[in-house]
Amino acid sequence: MNIGNLQITGRAALAPMAGVTDAAYRKLCASFGAAYTVTEMVSARAIQYNYQKTAQLADTSQDEHPVFLQLFGSDPFDFGLAAKKAEAFHPDGIDINMGCPVPKVAGNGAGSALMKDPSRCGAIVAAVKRNTDLPVTVKIRAGWDEEHINAVEVAKACEEAGAAAVCVHGRTRNQMYMGHADWDVIAAVKQAVSIPVIGNGDVVDAQSACKLLDHTGCDMVMVGRGALGNPWVFRQINAYLRDSCTILPGPGIAERILVIKRHMDALCQLKGEGRAMREARKHVGWYLHGIRGAAEFRRRAGELSTLEDLDLLLRDVYAAAQEEE
């Protein structure tokens, strides 16, 4: 399929997640078959200035492409200026965050709060389109709350303004990340627009990805929390869709350890060992979910400070797995 003039191979993309989908994890997921990835959200106002932290969030130079740079904010004028600046980071497209539910974003009129005003959503897309030739996508929710399910209206406004694709998370802002995603809303958006629709919400494995595609008729799925500590989910989804529902087994402990090391080494190169190992604590905890002795190993993961600490932990993880065999 194409998103604007950009050819996309595959049907499962990595969702943007603040504090998770940095360049190290994006590249890792792309290597496992993610069709495209999206940066952590970048402030449309802050990107206009030369802030080091913002530049690091926006940097796609180490990515396996295609990768989209995600912007958030509330002012169409800011988005227009940001679109010009964003091109300097060489993304393959620009994604507009209209779905973030967290109070510090939505409380300032950005993220999912934009869905309260579909005309503003359209104005933001139009402002970005006027200032870039890159394909522009939007990520929305079902609506603000259960009384205001307006994903179809917002998607149509964005399409009319020039959006090349829309990703729909089937939860309202009020749901945050609780309860079940409403896939019927995604299906309704797919019926209402002619641009590609990416479905998001409750995709945790190959089977759920296939069910969402079948239920909604959408063009792709986007995997968020289902990819935490689980980058091989993209490999499994691709195999399931390509090879008549073939279910690839999960990784053995040896592969899991190699991937953890690969990820954490890349994180250290990106951010320095001190900061990287603080961030590694959550990642390693996710990777270790479900293994023998996970509770104690995850406790130790929460205390990681150096790569040496990680090596000692992974040595014990491997030894415990060998004992089980």
Side-chain angles (χ1 to χ4, degrees):
M1 59 170 280
N2 283 1
I3 296 179
N5 59 3
L6 180 65
Q7 186 174 11
I8 302 294
T9 302
R11 300 188 72 185
L14 174 66
M17 291 177 282
V20 176
T21 53
D22 54 27
Y25 199 57
R26 296 195 303 269
K27 187 172 184 178
L28 182 64
C29 288
S31 74
F32 276 101
Y36 71 89
T37 64
V38 188
T39 69
E40 300 173 78
M41 59 182 177
V42 177
S43 166
R45 183 165 294 175
I47 201 174
Q48 300 169 41
Y49 307 103
N50 296 319
Y51 299 141
Q52 182 178 359
K53 183 177 179 181
T54 303
Q56 186 178 60
L57 288 173
D59 182 22
T60 65
S61 63
Q62 299 184 48
D63 281 79
E64 289 187 27
H65 291 255
V67 56
F68 280 67
L69 193 162
Q70 188 183 74
L71 297 173
F72 79 96
S74 60
D75 188 335
F77 181 75
D78 283 340
F79 274 95
L81 294 177
K84 293 181 180 180
K85 188 72 173 180
E87 290 192 349
F89 296 98
H90 305 294
D92 298 286
I94 294 176
D95 184 65
I96 301 172
N97 185 319
M98 299 183 182
C100 181
V102 301
K104 68 178 182 180
V105 174
N108 289 316
S112 55
L114 291 172
M115 295 191 68
K116 295 179 179 181
D117 187 353
S119 64
R120 178 175 288 266
C121 294
I124 287 172
V125 172
V128 174
K129 286 294 297 178
R130 283 194 300 270
N131 288 280
T132 184
D133 292 326
L134 295 172
V136 177
T137 60
V138 296
K139 191 169 191 295
I140 66 175
R141 284 193 164 232
W144 179 257
D145 56 31
E146 289 66 27
E147 286 71 45
H148 300 89
I149 305 293
N150 65 342
V152 168
E153 183 183 1
V154 171
K156 290 173 71 173
C158 292
E159 179 185 31
E160 291 170 5
V166 57
C167 176
V168 186
H169 183 159
R171 289 181 174 84
T172 65
R173 187 271 175 180
N174 274 11
Q175 283 182 274
M176 300 291 285
Y177 300 101
M178 305 296 289
H180 294 290
D182 186 348
W183 290 357
D184 289 340
V185 173
I186 301 171
V189 171
K190 177 58 184 173
Q191 290 294 316
V193 300
S194 59
I195 56 177
V197 173
I198 300 104
N200 179 219
D202 295 343
V203 176
V204 296
D205 53 25
Q207 296 94 319
S208 55
C210 187
K211 287 178 182 178
L212 187 150
L213 289 166
D214 288 344
H215 185 94
T216 66
C218 66
D219 302 278
M220 293 182 65
V221 299
M222 184 169 275
V223 187
R225 288 175 295 161
L228 298 178
N230 187 28
W232 37 80
V233 69
F234 298 101
R235 179 176 65 188
Q236 293 170 321
I237 291 172
N238 291 339
Y240 193 84
L241 296 177
R242 181 184 63 241
D243 300 328
S244 302
C245 300
T246 296
I247 301 177
L248 292 182
I253 194 65
E255 181 184 4
R256 192 181 296 242
I257 287 172
L258 287 173
V259 171
I260 293 171
K261 281 289 294 175
R262 178 180 163 196
H263 183 183
M264 298 310 121
D265 286 345
L267 199 60
C268 287
Q269 291 177 13
L270 182 68
K271 300 179 179 181
E273 186 174 358
R275 178 182 171 189
M277 295 314 295
R278 289 192 296 274
E279 295 188 12
R281 296 167 184 172
K282 61 190 176 190
H283 285 289
V284 175
W286 292 325
Y287 278 116
L288 298 180
H289 181 75
I291 69 167
R292 182 185 182 189
E296 173 60 18
F297 289 140
R298 292 172 77 180
R299 183 197 65 76
R300 287 174 58 185
E303 299 174 350
L304 292 172
S305 296
T306 66
L307 280 171
E308 184 179 1
D309 293 340
L310 177 64
D311 288 339
L312 292 172
L313 172 60
L314 295 180
R315 181 199 63 187
D316 292 346
V317 168
Y318 185 76
Q322 295 301 107
E323 289 177 7
E324 189 174 24
E325 293 179 0

